[in-house]
Amino acid sequence: MTPQRQLVLDAVCDLGHATPEQICTQVQASAPAVNITTIYRTLDLLERIGLVRHTHLGHGAPTYSEQEHQHVHLVCHSCGRITEAPTDLLDELAHRLRGDGFELDVTHLALSGLCTSCQHAPQDDLA
């Protein structure tokens, strides 16, 4: 593990869910010479060896988190807030799909909807 790779892994762990650009910003605070290309290559390597994983939480860049960081992501498509739910909420669906020959990876999943705040906000506030 090179020092630059360790900085990227540390940034992923510190930030929780972070885009490559957010990770780059944190890494550059202590290593200004590290560029975004290095970040992308390092994230790809760290994912291949099982230290990090990525999730698409909507449009735009994927977010990266630690491999052990396993939960379903709930993304409010109005305000963008991201919350987490335990993976066992999808056990019944996973079981049913398994019967159809498909193995669902619930730790690599984002569901979109409306958070409680947006559900109760006046419609004008959601625009």
Side-chain angles (χ1 to χ4, degrees):
M1 179 78 71
T2 66
Q4 287 180 335
R5 290 176 182 164
Q6 187 64 52
L7 286 172
V8 172
L9 181 58
D10 291 345
V12 170
C13 294
D14 291 346
L15 294 170
H17 300 107
T19 64
E21 290 76 16
Q22 292 167 324
I23 294 164
C24 187
T25 298
Q26 179 154 331
V27 168
Q28 287 177 340
S30 59
V34 175
N35 62 37
I36 192 68
T37 303
T38 300
I39 299 297
Y40 274 103
R41 286 184 186 146
T42 302
L43 289 169
D44 182 56
L45 171 70
L46 294 174
E47 188 162 26
R48 280 184 294 162
I49 63 175
L51 294 176
V52 303
R53 67 180 313 127
H54 79 276
T55 304
H56 293 275
L57 298 178
H59 303 292
T63 61
Y64 288 82
S65 61
E66 296 175 76
Q67 181 67 16
E68 308 91 42
H69 197 74
Q70 296 187 0
H71 51 258
V72 177
H73 300 91
L74 306 175
V75 182
C76 179
H77 56 77
S78 180
C79 71
R81 181 176 171 211
I82 300 168
T83 55
E84 301 169 356
T87 58
D88 62 2
L89 289 177
L90 296 174
D91 284 350
E92 186 176 328
L93 174 62
H95 179 73
R96 184 171 176 183
L97 291 172
R98 195 172 300 116
D100 292 336
F102 185 81
E103 189 67 32
L104 179 65
D105 179 2
V106 296
T107 65
H108 197 114
L109 184 66
L111 301 173
S112 63
L114 288 174
C115 68
T116 303
S117 297
C118 290
Q119 289 174 42
H120 296 94
Q123 290 299 321
D124 292 341
D125 292 349
L126 297 179

